[in-house]
Amino acid sequence: MPAFDKSQQSMLAQRLKIEATRLGFDACGIAKAERLDDEAEQLENWLTNGRHASMDYMARNFEKRVDPRKLVPGAKRVVTVLCSYWQEIKHANGTAKISRYAWGDDYHQVMKERLYELYAWLEGEAGTLSGRVFVDSAPVMDKVWAQRSGLGWIAKNTNLINPKIGSWFFIGTLIIDVPLACDQPATYDHCGSCTRCIDACPTDAIYKPYAVDANRCISYWTIEHRGDSIPQNIVSRQDDWIFGCDICQDVCPWNKFSRKTDEPRFQPRKGIQDTPLEEWEELDLEAFRKRFKGSSVKRAKYEGFKRNVRAVRQFRSLKDH
């Protein structure tokens, strides 16, 4: 671990943020790597109450999830970056819907590519560096670290909101052993008395402010769930979502500040937001693999995607009657 005085820590932190901007990130913040005691208690209660549904991986590696020093020995800082994926394009009327985050190429690959560049830059500047890069693929409480590094607050729908760019962004994390100057945590909460996300959720997944039950969440059932069918109480309120759900972000007033992405790989693939349900129903395995190669939609797998399409057909039939 390199040794820096406070002046050097501050200067390197500022230069890191400048480099993050140059690489295309919309925001960058730094927090001290330490155990998340309050969040650990909240997570334990959430898991104990079964709010994670079948996502058993959420219960594994608990200590690593709440303490980055267990995940990366010798860690001193957690660096968080945000990268917008917002486009001004909307879903065409009457089409089956795919969540905006999956309109372009898989964000894991795009974000990691940029993060590795940022890591390499810091290694060159620091002289020596030990750490790891994370993009929603390991036990890291990325939204909490974003808040702790001053990048926004965790809203009533449990998404992170940045006051300058809303919530349509991906989060990336570097856990490192370089003692950079830290940012002040975001202690504000600008949700106020607003309950638009809670009121708009068709399945009541936001069962109380700042808490989501995966058992009721359309995103969970259309992405994470591996069964052959979706429960009737979800199907009857599923609307036209065949992969994910954006409702709570669509209605959030803070997203009037959304920043249009300049990353070409996040631009919508042809037909992603305007393909009729009938065309998705006819999609075979080969066409699915070709159409969603390098896309986050592949996480649902072909069988799950077709299950979701059938559920939307069932929803429309129920609505018509």
Side-chain angles (χ1 to χ4, degrees):
M1 179 191 73
F4 298 116
D5 60 30
K6 289 186 177 181
S7 176
Q8 291 172 316
Q9 291 179 24
S10 179
M11 184 177 297
L12 187 54
Q14 290 304 314
R15 293 179 61 211
L16 176 72
K17 293 174 184 177
I18 292 172
E19 179 64 13
T21 299
R22 188 191 71 80
L23 289 171
F25 294 116
D26 294 284
C28 177
I30 304 165
K32 181 182 179 181
E34 58 188 355
R35 192 177 192 275
L36 303 171
D37 292 331
D38 292 342
E39 290 80 4
E41 183 178 351
Q42 295 167 11
L43 176 60
E44 187 171 22
N45 290 335
W46 187 75
L47 292 168
T48 298
N49 290 322
R51 303 291 188 182
H52 60 307
S54 68
M55 295 183 289
D56 294 337
Y57 62 84
M58 293 293 296
R60 293 196 292 269
N61 299 309
F62 185 88
E63 278 303 313
K64 288 183 178 180
R65 192 176 296 275
V66 301
D67 190 342
R69 298 168 302 178
K70 301 289 186 182
L71 189 60
V72 180
K76 296 294 182 182
R77 298 291 184 265
V78 179
V79 178
T80 300
V81 293
L82 309 180
C83 186
S84 172
Y85 61 87
W86 169 255
Q87 310 100 19
E88 295 177 347
I89 303 168
K90 297 182 179 180
H91 288 101
N93 290 334
T95 58
K97 298 176 182 178
I98 292 174
S99 181
R100 280 181 176 273
Y101 87 86
W103 283 9
D105 291 351
D106 190 338
Y107 69 95
H108 297 87
Q109 300 305 315
V110 178
M111 288 285 288
K112 279 188 175 180
E113 180 182 301
R114 291 187 182 185
L115 276 170
Y116 281 125
E117 288 188 58
L118 187 62
Y119 186 97
W121 178 91
L122 182 57
E123 186 173 34
E125 294 297 312
T128 180
L129 175 64
S130 178
R132 291 177 63 185
V133 167
F134 301 95
V135 181
D136 195 24
S137 57
V140 176
M141 300 183 76
D142 52 6
K143 290 181 288 186
V144 175
W145 289 114
Q147 184 178 34
R148 288 209 170 196
S149 60
L151 297 184
W153 76 97
I154 297 176
K156 291 178 181 177
N157 62 358
T158 73
N159 284 326
L160 182 80
I161 297 181
N162 179 283
K164 294 183 179 179
I165 61 174
S167 66
W168 300 102
F169 50 72
F170 299 121
I171 303 175
T173 308
L174 297 179
I175 300 180
I176 56 174
D177 69 344
V178 178
L180 302 170
C182 294
D183 294 289
Q184 290 296 316
T187 56
Y188 52 82
D189 181 343
H190 294 323
C191 285
S193 61
C194 179
T195 58
R196 292 189 190 182
C197 60
I198 298 172
D199 298 338
C201 181
T203 56
D204 299 320
I206 310 173
Y207 62 96
K208 66 179 182 178
Y210 312 102
V212 169
D213 186 346
N215 297 286
R216 308 179 194 177
C217 183
I218 293 171
S219 285
Y220 163 76
W221 287 107
T222 57
I223 300 175
E224 301 289 342
H225 176 54
R226 289 293 176 260
D228 294 332
S229 62
I230 296 175
Q232 191 68 19
N233 65 314
I234 302 298
V235 171
S236 63
R237 305 178 189 181
Q238 191 169 336
D239 200 359
D240 286 333
W241 295 100
I242 57 172
F243 185 87
C245 175
D246 291 336
I247 293 173
C248 65
Q249 293 194 85
D250 282 332
V251 300
C252 179
W254 281 96
N255 276 327
K256 65 184 178 183
F257 299 115
S258 296
R259 183 179 300 172
K260 186 177 179 181
T261 182
D262 59 1
E263 170 55 69
R265 288 170 291 181
F266 290 156
Q267 295 301 317
R269 296 183 174 196
K270 182 179 179 181
I272 201 75
Q273 86 285 353
D274 58 3
T275 296
L277 182 65
E278 292 75 17
E279 188 171 328
W280 292 128
E281 287 177 314
E282 296 172 1
L283 196 71
D284 60 23
L285 178 58
E286 183 179 354
F288 174 82
R289 288 173 173 169
K290 182 178 180 180
R291 192 156 187 173
F292 294 117
K293 182 180 181 181
S295 163
S296 296
V297 175
K298 290 189 71 176
R299 180 168 178 78
K301 303 186 182 302
Y302 176 69
E303 295 78 9
F305 187 81
K306 295 293 283 188
R307 172 204 63 207
N308 300 341
V309 170
R310 292 194 300 272
V312 169
R313 172 58 69 194
Q314 187 178 359
F315 164 80
R316 290 187 177 185
S317 178
L318 291 170
K319 186 176 65 173
D320 291 341
H321 291 85

